[in-house]
Amino acid sequence: MAAAAYRLPAMDMDFLLGDTTRGLRFQLEYQKAEEHLRKWGVATTVIVFGSARIREDNSQGWYGAAREFARICSEEGGAKLTNGHPRQNVIATGGGPGIMEAANRGAHDAGAPSIGFNITLPMEQEPNAYSTPDLTFRFHYFAMRKMHFAIRASALVVFPGGFGTMDELFEILTLRQTGKMDDELPVVLYDSKFWKGLINFQQFVDAGTVSQSDLDLFGYADSPREAWDELLKRGLKVSKE
């Protein structure tokens, strides 16, 4: 009876954390977050990506802009609906500091719920104080975290960031380009000077690696209100019933 084989599988941590049960753990990471999101009636999300290293007092104003954009989105996008209808355009971030904190904070300013999809990392990633506690998750697998970002996304706003932000941006652009996501999902890059100085998107076209029409998958904005208006112009659906 003391042998490991005799333990109930659900009570055997050596078994649950073993190599052969990776698929089960992957499923659990999907299901736990999914149940909480459904409980809160979250139908669609507006994803905000950006650097974890941006402080509130940064000279470029990116933190304040992300906070203000999220406030506008939360107040005008349908995240605060309390009449039994599903919540629309709920702010969703990676749950950590920097731009993520700013966006969750903006939703908090508006009295709206927001989501934090945290990931276990050796540095930079702890949950910020502004994502809704019951919608603050922690993932081990990047792939499942990315899936949760994508499956409810109605729009994406990307503030300046590092390698992780680039990874997330191009993940969504690839899903859009290949038709794996809603054709009307708008993507906005915040701070056109930063993005145009960082990436020569036209070079992709000139080299023949993407089509000219692929550059229409995203637009630019230089103020929080302009970012919101650009999402609306690109087809973001808003419910205020």
Side-chain angles (χ1 to χ4, degrees), residues 24-70:
L24 176 60
R25 296 194 300 275
F26 202 73
Q27 179 182 350
L28 289 172
E29 288 206 346
Y30 166 76
Q31 187 170 343
K32 182 176 181 179
E34 183 68 17
E35 287 187 1
H36 282 255
L37 290 164
R38 291 188 182 191
K39 177 182 176 182
W40 276 77
V42 177
T44 62
T45 59
V46 172
I47 308 168
V48 179
F49 288 143
S51 175
R53 306 185 186 194
I54 300 301
R55 298 182 179 275
E56 184 174 0
D57 60 355
N58 79 294
S59 60
Q60 300 94 336
W62 294 330
Y63 184 104
R67 180 178 177 181
E68 175 63 9
F69 166 77

Side-chain angles (χ1 to χ4, degrees), residues 70-80 109-112 240:
R71 183 195 65 78
I72 294 170
C73 177
S74 297
E75 289 184 345
E76 302 182 19
K80 296 175 67 176
D109 292 341
K240 296 183 180 181

Side-chain angles (χ1 to χ4, degrees), residues 48-125:
V48 179
F49 288 143
S51 175
R53 306 185 186 194
I54 300 301
R55 298 182 179 275
E56 184 174 0
D57 60 355
N58 79 294
S59 60
Q60 300 94 336
W62 294 330
Y63 184 104
R67 180 178 177 181
E68 175 63 9
F69 166 77
R71 183 195 65 78
I72 294 170
C73 177
S74 297
E75 289 184 345
E76 302 182 19
K80 296 175 67 176
L81 292 179
T82 58
N83 57 2
H85 291 284
R87 298 179 189 270
Q88 305 289 340
N89 303 315
V90 176
I91 291 292
T93 79
I99 294 298
M100 296 174 282
E101 174 188 294
N104 288 126
R105 188 174 180 180
H108 185 270
D109 292 341
S114 69
I115 301 162
F117 290 124
N118 289 263
I119 186 78
T120 300
L121 296 174
M123 54 182 277
E124 289 188 352
Q125 189 72 11

